C-alpha cells in the first residue's frame, strides 16, 4: 500500500513530523456493549451464576455483578464458598427489589416509587449500591410530609442513611405543630420522643405546645407510658412557660400531681419564675430558649383603598424584625387587586385605580425591590378578582369588569408570558376568595352581583372541570381565604347586612365546614395569609373605619390575638407571602 504523502520535510526540523493520527472515542460502544450483555442475560446465554432469591431464579454474569456491587465483588473474588457455586442463595432481601437492582446493573436505569422504596433501599444497602441508596433517599426527601416524616426518620435511622435522617429531623422540628397531631407522633417510642422535644431548634411559639404534645402522647397509652412521664417532662422547658399556664394547667394536671419527680420539675419552674434575682444561678437546659431556624417567609400587603382613594403603596412584614416596612410602590393605584406568589415573585393582578377597571399586571422582585409591567395583561379589565397559583400557573378567578359580574377563569403561563382561558365557574363571583389545596383550586363565596354567596366550587386541572363542594355556613363576599393545616379557612367578609368577624374552615376529608372562633374585629376586604406557620388576618373595613390592624389565630388557645399593625389602612388590598432567599433555611 502506498504511504500517505504529506509534503516535503522541513529542513529546519531536527526530526520528521509525527505520523498523521485520528484518535477516536466511541460514545456508542459502552451503551451498545451493555445492551448486548443484557440481551445475553435475558436469553440466559453465557450466564455463570443463578441467584436464588425467595421463589425466583435470577440469571446473571459474575463479572457484571462484581463490577457494580462491592457485595458481589467480595462474594465472587474471595474465598467464600459462593465464589465456586453456580447457584447462590441470597437471604433477607425482597425478590422484586433484587430484580430491580440486577436490572439496574445491566441497564443503569431504575424507577423509585412509593410502592417499592421501602424494599429497594434496604436491598441497595445490602448490595452496597450507593447510587441507588442516594436516589432512594432523594425520593424520600421529596415525600416528606407532617404525616409521614417520623416514619421516614425511623426508616433512615434503621438503614444508616445519615443525610436523610438529618433532613427528616429538620423537617420534623420545623413542622412540629402539624407533626404532633399525626398518628405517627402518638406511636413514637419514648427515646425518639425525647430526641425530638429536646432539640433547641424545635419550631414552637411556646413551651405550652410541647407540654400539650407530651400529655397527648402519654394519654394515647396511659398504662404503659405513665411511668415515662417524668423522663419526658424534664425535656419540656417549664420555666419558660407563662405563670398562668404553669400553675393553672401543668400544676393542676392529675398525672403531674401524682408523680414526685414531675412535681419537683414544676416546683423548679415556679422558683425560676418567682425569684428573678436568682435566675443567673438557675440556668440549665430547661431555661434555655429554643432557637428554631426561621422559615424566612415575608408578608406583603399590596394596594387597597384608604381614606377614600385607591392606593399604590406596598409594605412588607418581616417576622424576624417584627416590623412593617414600606417597599417600592406599584406603578398604578389598585383596589380589589388579586395577589399571588409564583417563583418567589409577587404578582398583582387587576384592580380599580379610582377611575377605571384594570387588566394590567405588575410583578415585584424582592431581590431588586422593583415592580415591572412586562407581564401580559388579562383578557378583560377586572377588580375584586381572586388570584392563586396551581401547578406553576397563575389563575385569575371571577371579579367584575364594571358592566357585569364574571364567572370566567384564565391562567398565566410564566414560561410563555401568555394568559389562556380555562373552564368557567358555574357561578358568577366578585369578591371571591380562592385557595389551592391537594391539587384543586377552590372558589369560595363572593357575590353574584346581586347578593353574597355561601356556595363553593373547586377546579380540577386534570379534567378542566369545576364541581361543587359543601357550602359555607355563612354568606360572604370580600372575604379572606387561605389554607392552614390542610384546611381552608374563610374569615370575615360581608353578608347581606353587615361586615363579619366570624370564621369557618373546610375539611376536604369530610367535605364539611365547621365554625371557628370569631376575629376580634369585623373585617370585609380582609387579606388572609399563612406566614411561618401563623394564620394572619390583615386590614379590611369594620363598617366604620378602614383598618391597618393585624390579628393572628392561635389554634391552641382558640382565639385571635392582635399583632403588629401596618403603616397604611387598607381595604381590598392583596396579600402574598414570599420565601426570601437571604433568610431561607436550606434543609437540603
Amino acid at each position: 500500500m502506498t504511504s500517505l504523502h504529506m509534503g516535503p520535510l522541513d529542513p529546519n526540523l531536527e526530526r520528521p513530523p509525527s505520523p498523521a493520527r485520528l484518535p477516536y472515542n466511541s460514545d456508542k460502544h459502552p451503551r451498545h456493549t451493555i445492551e448486548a450483555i443484557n440481551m445475553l442475560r435475558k436469553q440466559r446465554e453465557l450466564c455463570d451464576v443463578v441467584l436464588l432469591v425467595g421463589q425466583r431464579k435470577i440469571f446473571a454474569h459474575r463479572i457484571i455483578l462484581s463490577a457494580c456491587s462491592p457485595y458481589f465483588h467480595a462474594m465472587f473474588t474471595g474465598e467464600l464458598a459462593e465464589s465456586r457455586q453456580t447457584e447462590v442463595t441470597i437471604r433477607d432481601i425482597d425478590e422484586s427489589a433484587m430484580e430491580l437492582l440486577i436490572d439496574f446493573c445491566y441497564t443503569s436505569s431504575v424507577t423509585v416509587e412509593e410502592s417499592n422504596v421501602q424494599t429497594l433501599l434496604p436491598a441497595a444497602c445490602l448490595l452496597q449500591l450507593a447510587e441507588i441508596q442516594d436516589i432512594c433517599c432523594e425520593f424520600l426527601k421529596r415525600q416528606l410530609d407532617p404525616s409521614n416524616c417520623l416514619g421516614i426518620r425511623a426508616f433512615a435511622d434503621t438503614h444508616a442513611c445519615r443525610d436523610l435522617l438529618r433532613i427528616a429531623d429538620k423537617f420534623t422540628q420545623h413542622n412540629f405543630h402539624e407533626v404532633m397531631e399525626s398518628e405517627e407522633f402518638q406511636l413514637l417510642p419514648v427515646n425518639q420522643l425525647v430526641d425530638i422535644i429536646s432539640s433547641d431548634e424545635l419550631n414552637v411559639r411556646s413551651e405550652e405546645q410541647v407540654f400539650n404534645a407530651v400529655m397527648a402522647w402519654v394519654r394515647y397509652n396511659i398504662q404503659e407510658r405513665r411511668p415515662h412521664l417524668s423522663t419526658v417532662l424534664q425535656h419540656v422547658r417549664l420555666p419558660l412557660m407563662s405563670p398562668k399556664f404553669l400553675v393553672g394547667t401543668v400544676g393542676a394536671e392529675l398525672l403531674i400531681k401524682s408523680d414526685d419527680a414531675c412535681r419537683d420539675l414544676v416546683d423548679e419552674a415556679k422558683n425560676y419564675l418567682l425569684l428573678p434575682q436568682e435566675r443567673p444561678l438557675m440556668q440549665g437546659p430547661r431555661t434555655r430558649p429554643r432557637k428554631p431556624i426561621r422559615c424566612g417567609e415575608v408578608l406583603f400587603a399590596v394596594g387597597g383603598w384608604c381614606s377614600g382613594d385607591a392606593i399604590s403603596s406596598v409594605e412588607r412584614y418581616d417576622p424576624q424584625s417584627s416590623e412593617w416596612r414600606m417597599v417600592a410602590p406599584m406603578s398604578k393605584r389598585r383596589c380589589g387587586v388579586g395577589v399571588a406568589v409564583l417563583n418567589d415573585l409577587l404578582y398583582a393582578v387587576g384592580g380599580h385605580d379610582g377611575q377605571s377597571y384594570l387588566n394590567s399586571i405588575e410583578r415585584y422582585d424582592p431581590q431588586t425591590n422593583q415592580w415591572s409591567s412586562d407581564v401580559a395583561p388579562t383578557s378583560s379589565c377586572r377588580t375584586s378578582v381572586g388570584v392563586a397559583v396551581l401547578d406553576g400557573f397563575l389563575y385569575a378567578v371571577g371579579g367584575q369588569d364594571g358592566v357585569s359580574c364574571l364567572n370566567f377563569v384564565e391562567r398565566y403561563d410564566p414560561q410563555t408570558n401568555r394568559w389562556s382561558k380555562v373552564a368557567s365557574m358555574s357561578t358568577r363571583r366578585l369578591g371571591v376568595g380562592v385557595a389551592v389545596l391537594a391539587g384543586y383550586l377552590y372558589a369560595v363565596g363572593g357575590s353574584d352581583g346581586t347578593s353574597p354567596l355561601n356556595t363553593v366550587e373547586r377546579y380540577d386541572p386534570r379534567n378542566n372541570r369545576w364541581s361543587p363542594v359543601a357550602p359555607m355556613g355563612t354568606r360572604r363576599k370580600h372575604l379572606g381565604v387561605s389554607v392552614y393545616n390542610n384546611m381552608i379557612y374563610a374569615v370575615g367578609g360581608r353578608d347581606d347586612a353587615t361586615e363579619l368577624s366570624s370564621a369557618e374552615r373546610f375539611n376536604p376529608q369530610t367535605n364539611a365546614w365547621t365554625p371557628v372562633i370569631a376575629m376580634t374585629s369585623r373585617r370585609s376586604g380582609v387579606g388572609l395569609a399563612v406566614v411561618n406557620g401563623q394564620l394572619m388576618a390583615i386590614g379590611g373595613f369594620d363598617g366604620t373605619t378602614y383598618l391597618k390592624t393585624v390579628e393572628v389565630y392561635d389554634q391552641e388557645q382558640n382565639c385571635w390575638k392582635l399583632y403588629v399593625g401596618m403603616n397604611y389602612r387598607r381595604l381590598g388590598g392583596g396579600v402574598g407571602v414570599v420565601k426570601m432567599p437571604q433568610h431561607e433555611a436550606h434543609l437540603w
Side-chain angles (χ1 to χ4, degrees), residues 167-416:
I167 290 165
D169 262 336
K170 293 291 184 188
F171 187 93
T172 300
Q173 293 160 8
H174 274 276
N175 298 277
F176 182 74
H177 183 73
E178 292 88 354
V179 172
M180 62 181 271
E181 297 176 348
S182 69
E183 180 76 8
E184 284 189 348
F185 183 83
Q186 303 300 335
L187 298 174
L188 278 175
V190 63
N191 61 320
Q192 290 185 28
L193 176 66
V194 167
D195 283 347
I196 293 167
I197 67 169
S198 61
S199 170
D200 284 348
E201 295 181 359
L202 199 64
N203 185 27
V204 291
R205 291 191 297 276
S206 68
E207 284 301 309
E208 284 88 336
Q209 277 185 294
V210 187
F211 175 79
N212 289 334
V214 165
M215 295 311 298
W217 178 86
V218 171
R219 291 192 181 99
Y220 188 83
N221 189 342
I222 197 165
Q223 296 302 320
E224 287 188 13
R225 294 177 177 180
R226 186 172 184 172
H228 298 301
L229 179 57
S230 61
T231 302
V232 177
L233 193 67
Q234 64 180 296
H235 299 283
V236 181
R237 302 179 185 188
L238 300 180
L240 304 184
M241 292 179 173
S242 68
K244 181 179 179 181
F245 189 89
L246 179 65
V247 175
T249 301
V250 181
E253 169 60 55
L254 292 177
L255 291 173
I256 302 288
K257 292 169 71 174
S258 61
D259 187 293
D260 291 344
C262 290
R263 288 204 310 273
D264 289 344
L265 290 169
V266 174
D267 290 342
E268 174 193 72
K270 288 179 180 177
N271 291 336
Y272 186 85
L273 292 171
L274 291 170
L275 304 170
Q277 70 278 9
E278 300 295 328
R279 288 178 190 172
L281 303 175
M282 302 169 69
Q283 296 301 312
R286 283 187 289 279
T287 63
R288 185 170 60 241
R290 299 188 194 267
K291 298 177 181 179
I293 299 172
R294 298 279 185 176
C295 294
E297 291 179 343
V298 173
L299 173 69
F300 285 81
V302 180
W305 194 264
C306 178
S307 302
D309 200 4
I311 56 177
S312 61
S313 73
V314 181
E315 51 190 307
R316 82 178 197 188
Y317 175 75
D318 187 343
Q320 294 201 63
S321 62
S322 298
E323 292 180 347
W324 285 92
R325 294 181 180 176
M326 305 305 297
V327 299
M330 296 178 290
S331 66
K332 295 182 180 293
R333 301 172 185 266
R334 297 178 189 268
C335 177
V337 57
V339 166
V341 177
L342 177 60
N343 300 331
D344 284 338
L345 300 174
L346 193 69
Y347 286 76
V349 180
H352 192 280
D353 64 4
Q355 295 180 329
S356 59
Y357 296 87
L358 305 173
N359 68 339
S360 62
I361 318 294
E362 298 187 56
R363 177 175 56 202
Y364 177 75
D365 186 343
Q367 293 298 293
T368 61
N369 189 30
Q370 290 182 341
W371 289 87
S372 62
S373 301
D374 58 351
V375 185
T378 51
S379 63
S380 68
C381 298
R382 58 170 105 178
T383 188
S384 299
V385 58
V387 176
V389 171
L390 173 60
D391 295 336
F393 294 99
L394 187 71
Y395 284 78
V397 179
Q400 61 175 325
D401 61 6
V403 177
S404 60
C405 181
L406 307 173
N407 68 340
F408 68 78
V409 180
E410 48 191 324
R411 72 180 186 186
Y412 173 73
D413 184 346
Q415 303 298 321
T416 61

Side-chain angles (χ1 to χ4, degrees), residues 9 53 86 116 127 149 199 206 219 263 267 468 478 550 561 573 576 582:
L9 296 178
V53 188
T86 56
N116 67 25
L127 302 188
C149 61
S199 170
S206 68
R219 291 192 181 99
R263 288 204 310 273
D267 290 342
H478 303 298
V550 177
K561 298 177 180 178
Q582 64 265 35

